[in-house]
Amino acid sequence: MTDVQETEVLILGGGINGCGVFRDLCVQGVSCLLLERNDFCAGASAASSRLMHGGLKYLETGEFRLVRESAEERNRLLRNAPHYVSPLPSLVPVRSRFGGLWAAAARFVGADAKMNDRGGLILGLGLILYDLYGRRFRAMPRHRMLGRKRLDALVAGLSGEIIGAGLYYEGQISHAERLGLELLLDGEEMHPRSRALNHAEIQRVEGGVISFMQGGSVHRVKPKVIVNAGGAWIDEVNDVLGIPSRLMGGSKGAHLVVENPKLLKALNGHMIYFGTADGRVNLLYPFMGRVLIGSTDHRIEHPDDAICSDEEAEYLCAVVGEIFPGIPVTPSQIRHRFSGVRPLPRADGDIGMVTRDHSIVELELGSGTPVLCLIGGKWTTFRGFSEQAADRLLDLLGKRRVRKTDEMQIGGGRDYPRGDARETWIGERAENCSLTPARIGALLSRYGTRLDRILPQLRGGETPLVHLPGYSREELEWLCRNERVVTLADLLQRRTAIAISGDLTPEVACEVAEIPARVFEWDAARKRAEIDALSLSSAGEPMTSEKEASRHSG
Ligand SMILES: Cc1cc2nc3c(=O)[nH]c(=O)nc-3n(C[C@H](O)[C@H](O)[C@H](O)COP(=O)(O)OP(=O)(O)OC[C@H]3O[C@@H](n4cnc5c(N)ncnc54)[C@H](O)[C@@H]3O)c2cc1C
């Protein structure tokens, strides 16, 4: 066992909210240690619909503060993380002119009313408000209402029942998990005594000293303040801390990535955000050359039980038929499925109506150490929520904020070249290495300007993977050595987009596994266990969540 290490703040949980608080505190010169039981951004933060959005549907529940904050944070992310966050033209189909008026009024006053039709009038009003809330730091065009003819010119094959649509803009994030990691790496660079550790499990608490296991040994830390950023696991974390709580309720949501070229072509670069016949809201949009479909919304008792069931997958395939009746989507087209639990505050009633806003609950260890629990929050709003939490932590530590984070660029988004500057940036790098401009461009989109750190490893040339030539052995080896990779899943699911894009087949998994096996000197049994933990079907689709798989394999 090691000596007791002192730190000002201990953050438990490395989802986007834990990562955001870590970065903000490092910027203020506060020492912190972040412990993540699994990998960074492996919980809800890996399971979102990947929209950086203002939350159009929260207008219906009257959550105007949340809509304003989300829209502003979306606009900031488009500037601060331009390597991963980009505009997504979005359409809400309309089936009537006046539909949804009563249901909207009922939902606005908190009544439990299903909305399966948002008519043109209600949608138009909503989008005017949405534009208003998103006007600060505006980064994208205002909305337009389209009649059927203009809609057909954008998206072909829509159901004959659709009479028009509202066209507006959201943000979409490609590499959400990488952006979380970049926040941590930025934080560590700004405050070299702060550290974020993944695959670190807390064991017990005694007199304000927390013991945790990482890399096979036990460590001890004595923080002045603790942040519980455990997301849907906040109550479990509090149990381990010896302060039982019942703060969280959870809503499971699942997504599919499907291979359907006809659907991809029909979407023509747009998201369709639509109310379903059963009163839910679903979405589909082009994602890394395939189509992402989501999401379900089911109350769940324990977050570890979240898997995308066959029933949910069939539902998500079928629901596309309400929009594109002539384009069948079948389970055989699924290339990836994922699910996670929205960390919502405990509440009764319709889970879809529970607030998506964030709040902080303050508890205390027996020793008197304050524990701040970060409840709820969207991926989109992580920066604002982190700022709120960091301000309270600074109060508790008797310190003052030295710098805001609202204009701080993140990781590979720093000095990201746009427009004509992109070609110049690529050309300058191409002169000094053997990579083609096209390859440098692809890597720039994948890693942003962080690519400058990777290029020295690639200068001598690359060996493309046999089963996935868009990735090279040298590139993946660099990630293993420099980006806190511990497991094969870390590499396939979070440092790269291999899994989420639907490119993960059993052959790819076996070929990629050779790389960490060599870097970390895994024996054959460990390598096999890492592949088995992915629990892939013969089509490459994960059949259970990674957590489930690890439980099954003991
Ligand atoms: C289906 C779905 C769709 C969504 N869509 C969107 C969207 O499009 N846009 C948007 O903005 N938001 C979306 N969200 C919401 C967003 O993803 C979450 O609100 C956000 O990711 C929560 O982040 P978090 O850090 O609080 O939780 P998490 O990401 O779950 O992080 C909590 C972390 O705590 C760790 N942990 C648990 N126990 C311990 C322990 N004992 N010690 C250490 N660590 C521990 C977990 O492993 C986990 O990594 C969606 C969520 C879901 C589930």
Side-chain angles (χ1 to χ4, degrees), residues 221-244:
V221 60
K222 189 169 190 332
K224 291 186 177 150
V225 190
I226 296 175
V227 175
N228 181 347
W233 293 270
I234 278 179
D235 291 327
E236 277 75 10
V237 173
N238 282 338
D239 273 349
V240 183
L241 294 176
I243 43 171

Side-chain angles (χ1 to χ4, degrees), residues 407-435:
E407 291 186 9
M408 204 172 273
Q409 293 193 309
I410 304 168
R414 221 165 287 126
D415 303 322
Y416 188 71
R418 294 205 258 194
D420 293 344
R422 185 179 169 92
E423 220 169 291
T424 313
W425 195 97
I426 292 171
E428 284 167 5
R429 270 76 189 165
E431 274 174 22
N432 296 315
C433 71
S434 59
L435 272 56

